Amino acid sequence: MIKHIKKRKNDYDLGIPGVLSSYLFEFFVKFILSPVIKFLWVRKIEGMHHIPKNGPVIIASNHESYFDFIIFYAISPRKVQYLAAEKFYASKFWKPLMVATGQIKVERTSGDKASVHKKAQYVLKNEGMLGIFPEGTRSRTGEMGKAFTGVTKFALTSKAPIIPVGIEGTFEILPPHKKIPKLKKCNIKISEPVHHHDHFEKEHTEELLRKLTDDLMNLIAALIGKEYKHHYSFQKTDSNVIDIPKN
């Protein structure tokens, strides 16, 4: 317990009173707020049995709304720590929730991502559950955006399985530029784990990372009845490999 207190203190630059307050708020979120969220906004959950009870795992889902994180945290049988944009930590509303639930701050404008990678790998090395939205940002239209390959890199370096998750309906609950969620229901579909055993010892080229990421996004798209339209092909030249979008 002392180790966790020190880590939270250092990660979020908190004093001891701040750390203790964050743990009290985490208790409130888990045992009081989460059941309310499930009752008001969740219609159906499928595939919960696919989430392993222990061991390192990566949750990868589509990103329709800020509400996605709240919904999955509320229904998850295990603590999940998402990569969260720095803007949430500048918000008086979001920061207490981010700190209390142990989310990982990402400085998106920073060129140095070493700290983020270190924190994410710490979660997985300690058999935790890491949450990633491969698209990087929420959809502005309700359609799926192009995914970054970071989710695959984490899976290959940590040897953790990826759980594809489809979240359907949160765009209508909390669309862009809205601050108050509507009282509508969403569905969560959880697929069986994706393992990359055959690729652990291979060279992790951009071509491999892109292919595995696109395959993952196809699985997520199928869960919510949508199409992932951002597949990439690679053409080799004498000097390099060019990433070319398929139109």
Side-chain angles (χ1 to χ4, degrees):
M1 184 63 181
I2 298 298
K3 178 182 177 181
H4 292 296
I5 290 175
K6 287 182 177 179
K7 187 174 188 306
R8 182 166 291 194
K9 180 177 182 293
N10 293 333
D11 285 349
Y12 302 108
D13 194 24
L14 299 173
I16 295 300
V19 172
L20 296 178
S21 295
S22 74
Y23 277 115
L24 287 174
F25 189 45
E26 182 179 14
F27 179 89
F28 170 78
V29 171
K30 182 177 181 180
F31 295 104
I32 299 175
L33 186 59
S34 290
V36 173
I37 290 170
K38 289 169 67 175
F39 176 77
L40 291 177
W41 286 289
V42 178
R43 178 187 297 110
K44 189 175 182 180
I45 305 169
E46 297 180 29
M48 188 72 82
H49 61 282
H50 290 309
I51 298 178
K53 294 181 179 180
N54 47 55
V57 65
I58 299 171
I59 297 295
S61 69
N62 59 307
H63 199 10
E64 293 190 347
S65 166
Y66 287 158
F67 220 61
D68 297 328
F69 148 70
I70 297 173
I71 286 292
F72 193 82
Y73 189 92
I75 66 103
S76 177
R78 294 175 57 182
K79 180 174 181 176
V80 56
Q81 292 177 265
Y82 277 95
L83 302 184
E86 74 288 336
K87 62 183 178 181
F88 292 110
Y89 294 85
S91 165
K92 292 181 179 180
F93 172 79
W94 285 103
K95 183 177 179 179
L97 185 61
M98 297 293 109
V99 173
T101 56
Q103 308 312 305
I104 301 170
K105 184 178 180 180
V106 177
E107 297 283 354
R108 293 184 296 178
T109 58
S110 173
D112 183 12
K113 297 294 190 294
S115 176
V116 174
H117 284 265
K118 183 178 179 180
K119 290 177 181 179
Q121 292 295 348
Y122 178 88
V123 171
L124 296 171
K125 285 180 181 178
N126 285 273
E127 300 196 342
M129 192 156 72
L130 179 69
I132 298 178
F133 296 113
E135 295 156 276
T137 187
R138 62 187 170 139
S139 172
R140 297 300 190 274
T141 64
E143 297 300 317
M144 296 180 70
K146 179 190 173 185
F148 294 92
T149 58
V151 60
T152 304
K153 291 179 183 178
F154 282 130
L156 291 174
T157 54
S158 67
K159 299 183 179 180
I162 302 174
I163 306 290
V165 175
I167 303 177
E168 182 182 23
T170 50
F171 186 83
E172 289 73 26
I173 293 174
L174 189 63
H177 312 303
K178 296 293 183 181
K179 295 183 178 180
I180 306 298
K182 299 177 182 178
L183 285 177
K184 295 186 175 183
K185 300 283 187 176
C186 70
N187 299 316
I188 301 101
K189 294 183 179 180
I190 304 166
S191 184
E192 61 186 19
V194 173
H195 296 273
H196 292 314
H197 300 303
D198 295 340
H199 302 288
F200 290 155
E201 306 305 323
K202 292 182 181 179
E203 180 183 359
H204 300 162
T205 64
E206 286 302 317
E207 184 175 4
L208 176 64
L209 294 173
R210 174 51 57 192
K211 179 185 182 304
L212 295 178
T213 301
D214 284 350
D215 289 346
L216 172 65
M217 296 308 291
N218 283 332
L219 290 173
I220 295 172
L223 291 173
I224 56 174
K226 292 189 176 180
E227 180 183 0
Y228 182 67
K229 302 176 181 179
H230 306 279
H231 300 92
Y232 275 63
S233 63
F234 287 77
Q235 290 185 1
K236 293 186 178 181
T237 68
D238 292 338
S239 58
N240 55 19
V241 176
I242 303 174
D243 196 2
I244 300 175
K246 290 182 178 178
N247 297 321

